[in-house]
Amino acid sequence: MFRPRTVAVIGGSDDVASIGGAVLHNLVRGGFDGRIDVVNPGHRRVRDRPSVASARELAEPPDLAVVATPAQTWSEVLDDLGRIGAKSAVILSPGSDHRGAAGSTAESVESRLADQARRYGIRLIGPGSLGLARPADRLDATFGRSLPPAGPLALVTRSGASLAALLDLAEGSGVGVSTAVATGDGCDIGLGDVLDFLTFDQATRSIALMVESIGDTRTFVSALRAAARTKPVVVLHAGSRLACESERAAFAAMLARCGAVSVDSFGAMFSAVESLSSTPLPRGERLGVVANGRGLGLLAADACAAHRISLASPAGLPNPFDVGEAATADRFAEAMAAMAASSDVDAVLALFSPTRLAGAEETARALTATPRRVPTLYALLGLADAALGRQLLNAAGHVVFESPDAAVRGISVLAEYQRNQRQLLEAPRQEPQTRPIDESTIDALLAAAARHGRPVLDDTTTDQLLAACGIASAGTLLTADLDEAAAWARRHGYPIVLGVVPAEPVAVIDERGDIRSERELRGAAAALRGRWLETWPQATFTGFRVRRMFDSRDALPLRLTIETEPTFGPVLRFGAGGRAALLAPGLSTGLPPLSRPLAEAMVAAAPVASLLAGSASADATRDAVIDTLLAIATLAVRYPAIRSLQIDPLHADDRGVTAIETVITIDPALPRRDSRHGHLAIHPYPVDVEKHVTLKDGRPVFIRPIRPDDAAMGVAFFEALSAQSRHWRFLHPIKMLTPQMIARFTQVDYERDMALVALPEAGEADAPSQIIGVARYVREPDAGRAEFAIVVADAWQATGLASAMIDQLIAHARLMGLRRLVGHVHGQNLRMLAFMRRHGFRIDSSTLEPSLLLATMQLDQGSPAAVAT
């Protein structure tokens, strides 16, 4: 589709004002050097090219069919293309002009087209697409007006109008483009599919993505994480201002976990891409500013505060460093060198305004001659003279902005990118690291609530569930018997809070606190009951809720919630609770699963973090809060039936945390467990795949999924392999792993692929010294099929390790719904061929090259009998 040798324009015409005429004009104008076929039943020739009446009359199936006909013809056109064996098509149309076509909704039209394309094996972009372009291949299969030069940036949108604007902006700015595509309504190929292609496209070094809405969240997030591991991805969330605050926060949290960078405009998108592509990443976020004017430095300081960038405190230097309006070009460059030399500075921003004593061009020359120890960005203010300096710096490969705010925003992009890349590398386990939860108790509690059809857990069940997570609660009792209430209060201690509850659990109508004796308890009960009967004379009096009252004068009230968001599933939110919310308003947002570093970052991002840091025994309090957040995150991961959880207030002090008020709602119809974790946007680290095995020679081995922090061990494992083992594994000579290969091998999205590593048992199982085997599968475009590979260290071959690993890999592939595993084996690798046959793989000849054989296992039919070629 993206590298066609032949293109057929269905509906091509001589009229450039029509979609078919515009796309045909663009193909010819762009210099496409493949064959262009035209289908138009009303013309024998179009643009001096022969035209046929139907796609069925084409001499051979096109690599790419561009459909530019009315909506009512699309189904017939797909039939024609399917019959001749076409495999890819893009349906061009201005927006959703097919809405209401033939009395159908747009959704029903898209569904029928998707079914039809799937039946014929056609991959389909659109409808509602502007088309696709690959400038380096001279392919412009769009009906837009602009086509920028070839370059390393990919532009991806759903909206055709947005892509047209981006292409025009790129052409006007001289920004080179590798790929441009608008997926339209995405009935088949969506944003995630395009990201999959771009991840491995060597012509693409960065991606600018505009997102209006997300269809298949798990597919999109998985593809975005894979792309962002290999190249910078900048995302513009269109319509974010129209979304509710929780949806915006969840989207931002998703981007952070994917390692992408968020921007808020087209201009910011191109600036962000330029910054990430041209500037080395700083080691930290401490910015040094040099300016030739106090006002410029103050503007930069304001921008730093607005964009959450820290001004550095370099020893012996002011920051911002005002060199004065009388500074020469050399003096400015010297100040820049001094700021960059400080070990307290991670990046430097130069702010320059041309003066009589120093012009922009000569200052730019002095700056380019100055060695840069840390990343440096420049802002040259003004028009005519400043433009000369900007041109010179740009030509030297530096990133230059036109205002202090734009420059600081560029620095913030670098900082955000680094933070988000660190989040991307986290592979959280499924349980908290210091507070395991009691799963059997939670299973029983949720099962009982589901049997009784209770969507809101009562106080007793809620307290028991929190206790199973290791979270202390204030303790509650629901009773209509005052003697029982008094006994409970004596057992748990005064003071207490007494409330009246109606028939609906936890919806307390009236309550009184600070009750310190049984006499006060009985008096308060009579008063509360009297008010209840006076207010609700027709209602049934249910009883009282009794709970402990906590002295919160020394405790910080917090808020911790699970909210189920329609697009991203369970979302975690944390911040100040109770009255403290007035002092530190705002919540941080995160997506489960969480690791401890992710939980620490989520706590630090909340406005209440400053209050936590200022409390007595701040470290102990913070650790207790993080442990609680990890426990709640694990609850969200393991139990899709929990639709919401709200603890407010959660009292935190040096003694730990206590949940004072908690409300939990469930969906009794949802499963209590889901091995696929389909309710999550991000697949967690699959701890269930971990396995301890004993080999034939009695040595114990630990098999587990690979993690990003295995990179160093992975390199050592590869370097220790013999030349023969490397050749059998990679099917061609390979001497070293590139950083991109290492990242791809170790940073696995467990939803799509799986890589298992084997490690000898030595002390702690999750901190062994070496990798001794790797087995992996990688899904192919056909989601039901994956290619597998396995390699074992030479010294550990013939020990049964390969069998243990392949069995584990097959079991997981079946669990994930894969239907077929395939692997290529060199025909001379007789030992591996025999191994494959013993494990039930069928061996056939390969279509790739004569020296290879294809090992296949049909997973949805059990292990087939071994078949020799």
Side-chain angles (χ1 to χ4, degrees):
M1 175 174 282
F2 287 99
R3 298 190 182 101
R5 294 163 299 175
T6 59
V7 176
V9 182
I10 318 296
S13 76
D14 292 310
D15 182 8
V16 294
S18 69
I19 293 179
V23 71
L24 186 56
H25 169 78
N26 286 349
L27 280 167
V28 174
R29 178 194 64 175
F32 180 67
D33 57 5
R35 195 180 73 247
I36 301 175
D37 294 326
V38 180
V39 177
N40 189 324
H43 298 80
R44 299 289 299 273
R45 296 189 70 82
V46 174
R47 290 184 66 95
D48 295 326
R49 297 170 183 272
S51 172
V52 296
S54 162
R56 283 174 293 176
E57 298 178 25
L58 292 172
E60 61 181 77
D63 291 334
L64 173 65
V66 182
V67 182
T69 59
Q72 59 268 25
T73 68
W74 293 341
S75 181
E76 180 183 353
V77 169
L78 279 186
D79 273 337
D80 291 342
L81 291 172
R83 289 190 180 104
I84 65 172
K87 294 303 179 186
S88 70
V90 53
I91 297 180
L92 308 182
S93 60
S96 297
D97 70 338
H98 53 290
R99 192 173 297 278
S104 303
T105 65
E107 290 76 11
S108 65
V109 171
E110 293 156 16
S111 178
R112 288 201 304 271
L113 290 173
D115 290 341
Q116 195 175 1
R118 194 175 301 113
R119 188 166 64 250
Y120 286 117
I122 297 175
R123 296 312 309 268
L124 181 63
I125 289 178
S129 174
L130 182 80
L132 62 92
R134 295 271 291 180
D137 298 329
R138 299 179 181 178
L139 173 69
D140 183 4
T142 74
F143 60 94
R145 298 177 67 91
S146 304
L147 185 67
L153 173 64
L155 301 175
V156 186
T157 72
R158 288 190 66 176
S159 161
S162 298
L163 181 63
L166 286 170
L167 286 170
D168 188 62
L169 186 59
E171 184 178 33
S173 305
V175 175
V177 170
S178 66
T179 303
V181 59
T183 62
D185 296 306
C187 67
D188 174 35
I189 290 178
L191 296 175
D193 299 288
V194 176
L195 287 172
D196 279 340
F197 168 76
L198 295 174
T199 296
F200 301 107
D201 178 35
Q202 295 183 354
T204 298
R205 294 205 299 269
S206 55
I207 301 170
L209 173 66
M210 177 176 158
V211 178
E212 300 169 26
S213 60
I214 299 172
D216 185 337
T217 301
R218 181 69 78 80
T219 297
F220 172 78
V221 170
S222 178
L224 182 57
R225 285 169 65 85
R229 287 187 179 104
T230 61
K231 54 198 69 175
V233 181
V234 177
V235 180
L236 171 60
H237 183 195
S240 63
R241 295 289 182 262
L242 302 178
C244 64
E245 189 275 335
S246 61
E247 183 182 348
R248 289 197 304 272
F251 191 92
M254 178 274 295
L255 290 184
R257 288 292 294 276
C258 290
V261 172
S262 175
V263 294
D264 57 8
S265 69
F266 282 166
M269 177 182 284
F270 282 97
S271 294
V273 168
E274 184 181 13
S275 296
L276 290 169
S277 302
S278 306
T279 308
L281 294 175
R283 62 174 180 266
E285 301 179 15
R286 301 168 301 173
L287 179 65
V289 177
V290 177
N292 66 337
R294 181 172 181 273
L296 299 182
L298 293 177
L299 287 174
D302 290 342
C304 285
H307 294 289
R308 296 190 304 159
I309 293 296
S310 301
L311 279 173
S313 300
L317 290 175
N319 192 21
F321 187 171
D322 176 18
V323 298
E325 297 175 11
T328 63
D330 290 339
R331 170 64 183 134
F332 193 93
E334 290 170 3
M336 284 288 296
M339 182 66 76
S342 172
S343 60
D344 301 315
V345 173
D346 299 317
V348 177
L349 170 61
L351 294 176
F352 177 80
S353 177
T355 68
R356 175 76 56 183
L357 299 176
E361 189 172 9
E362 61 183 298
T363 302
R365 285 200 177 90
L367 291 172
T368 56
T370 303
R372 296 182 299 166
R373 191 189 65 84
V374 295
T376 305
L377 280 77
Y378 305 88
L380 273 61
L381 285 66
L383 286 176
D385 189 74
L388 299 175
R390 285 196 291 267
Q391 184 177 5
L392 194 151
L393 287 168
N394 277 322
H398 301 302
V399 180
V400 191
F401 299 92
E402 297 182 1
S403 71
D405 185 77
V408 172
R409 191 165 60 216
I411 291 286
S412 72
V413 164
L414 299 179
E416 180 186 351
Y417 180 72
Q418 280 197 301
R419 288 194 299 267
N420 294 354
Q421 284 288 305
R422 287 193 292 269
Q423 290 205 33
L424 175 62
L425 293 179
E426 287 294 324
R429 294 172 64 86
Q430 286 181 233
E431 71 272 3
Q433 300 183 12
T434 59
R435 185 180 286 166
I437 66 175
D438 183 350
E439 296 182 31
S440 59
T441 296
I442 297 174
D443 286 340
L445 292 171
L446 293 179
R451 281 196 304 272
H452 291 92
R454 292 198 301 263
V456 183
L457 301 188
D458 59 45
D459 288 340
T460 301
T461 302
T462 297
D463 289 344
Q464 292 173 341
L465 191 147
L466 291 177
C469 295
I471 301 172
S473 61
T476 58
L477 171 70
L478 298 178
T479 183
D481 186 342
L482 286 181
D483 290 336
E484 184 181 11
W488 187 94
R490 286 193 298 272
R491 186 166 64 252
H492 289 84
Y494 290 96
I496 62 168
V497 178
L498 184 70
V500 177
V501 293
E504 185 67 23
V506 304
V508 178
I509 297 300
D510 196 5
E511 69 177 13
R512 176 183 161 185
D514 202 24
I515 297 173
R516 297 182 174 273
S517 68
E518 184 174 339
R519 180 178 176 181
E520 289 186 36
L521 167 64
R522 294 183 181 277
L528 290 169
R529 189 173 189 276
R531 284 204 298 268
W532 166 266
L533 294 175
E534 182 179 343
T535 306
W536 306 92
Q538 305 301 320
T540 301
F541 180 77
T542 303
F544 300 99
R545 185 183 77 166
V546 189
R547 64 178 176 85
R548 294 167 61 199
M549 181 176 179
F550 279 76
D551 184 352
S552 61
R553 287 174 295 182
D554 296 325
L556 179 64
L558 303 171
R559 175 185 174 91
L560 179 55
T561 68
I562 299 173
E563 303 169 8
T564 299
E565 207 276 333
T567 301
F568 299 106
V571 175
L572 303 168
R573 309 204 75 191
F574 169 78
R579 294 181 179 178
L582 299 175
L583 299 175
L587 302 171
S588 63
T589 304
L591 297 182
L594 295 182
S595 63
R596 181 164 287 273
L598 291 173
E600 291 170 349
M602 188 174 167
V603 170
V608 76
S610 60
L611 300 182
L612 269 174
S615 66
S617 305
D619 290 343
T621 303
R622 181 172 168 276
D623 286 345
V625 169
I626 289 170
D627 285 343
T628 303
L629 179 54
L630 286 169
I632 295 301
T634 299
L635 207 59
V637 168
R638 296 198 178 183
Y639 296 98
I642 296 178
R643 306 301 291 163
S644 70
L645 178 148
Q646 176 179 304
I647 307 177
D648 186 4
L650 176 74
H651 279 179
D653 56 28
D654 58 347
R655 294 163 295 183
V657 296
T658 304
I660 307 300
E661 291 277 359
T662 305
V663 179
I664 301 175
T665 65
I666 67 168
D667 183 346
L670 286 177
R672 293 191 301 278
R673 296 285 189 89
D674 177 11
S675 60
R676 295 286 303 273
H677 302 287
H679 63 300
L680 300 176
I682 299 174
H683 197 291
Y685 173 87
V687 70
D688 295 339
V689 180
E690 294 180 345
K691 187 175 184 180
H692 298 270
V693 299
T694 302
L695 302 182
K696 295 176 183 177
D697 57 9
R699 286 184 288 181
V701 169
F702 181 49
I703 299 174
R704 62 161 172 80
I706 202 166
R707 299 193 301 247
D709 56 3
D710 290 330
M713 287 196 298
V715 172
F717 169 70
F718 171 82
E719 291 176 346
L721 289 174
S722 66
Q724 181 76 90
S725 293
R726 290 186 197 178
H727 185 72
W728 289 152
R729 165 59 182 89
F730 293 99
L731 302 177
H732 63 272
I734 181 171
K735 295 183 178 180
M736 62 177 291
L737 298 178
T738 66
Q740 292 79 11
M741 294 169 70
I742 296 166
R744 185 184 175 195
F745 289 155
T746 57
Q747 298 172 27
V748 171
D749 189 316
Y750 305 112
E751 165 67 10
R752 312 153 60 87
D753 309 324
M754 176 53 66
L756 301 175
V757 292
L759 313 116
E761 298 273 22
E764 293 296 325
D766 47 1
S769 58
Q770 61 177 322
I771 291 175
I772 56 174
V774 181
R776 74 173 65 239
Y777 67 71
V778 177
R779 289 185 189 243
E780 297 188 343
D782 173 4
R785 168 177 154 140
E787 183 172 358
F788 77 94
I790 182 169
V791 60
V792 171
D794 293 78
W796 291 78
Q797 293 176 9
T799 62
L801 177 58
S803 293
M805 298 192 75
I806 199 68
D807 288 345
Q808 187 79 343
L809 195 71
I810 291 170
H812 187 267
R814 282 201 172 103
L815 178 68
M816 298 302 289
L818 288 171
R819 298 187 299 275
R820 183 183 301 171
L821 280 180
V822 299
H824 291 92
V825 185
H826 198 286
Q828 295 179 6
N829 193 352
L830 302 180
R831 190 171 175 181
M832 177 58 74
L833 291 170
F835 173 82
M836 290 287 96
R837 291 189 177 97
R838 285 198 305 272
H839 283 270
F841 284 81
R842 190 182 71 239
I843 307 299
D844 299 301
S845 56
S846 171
T847 58
L848 289 183
E849 57 179 273
S851 64
L852 299 182
L853 297 174
L854 185 69
T856 303
M857 175 175 283
Q858 202 70 29
L859 298 175
D860 52 0
Q861 299 176 5
S863 299
V867 179
T869 55

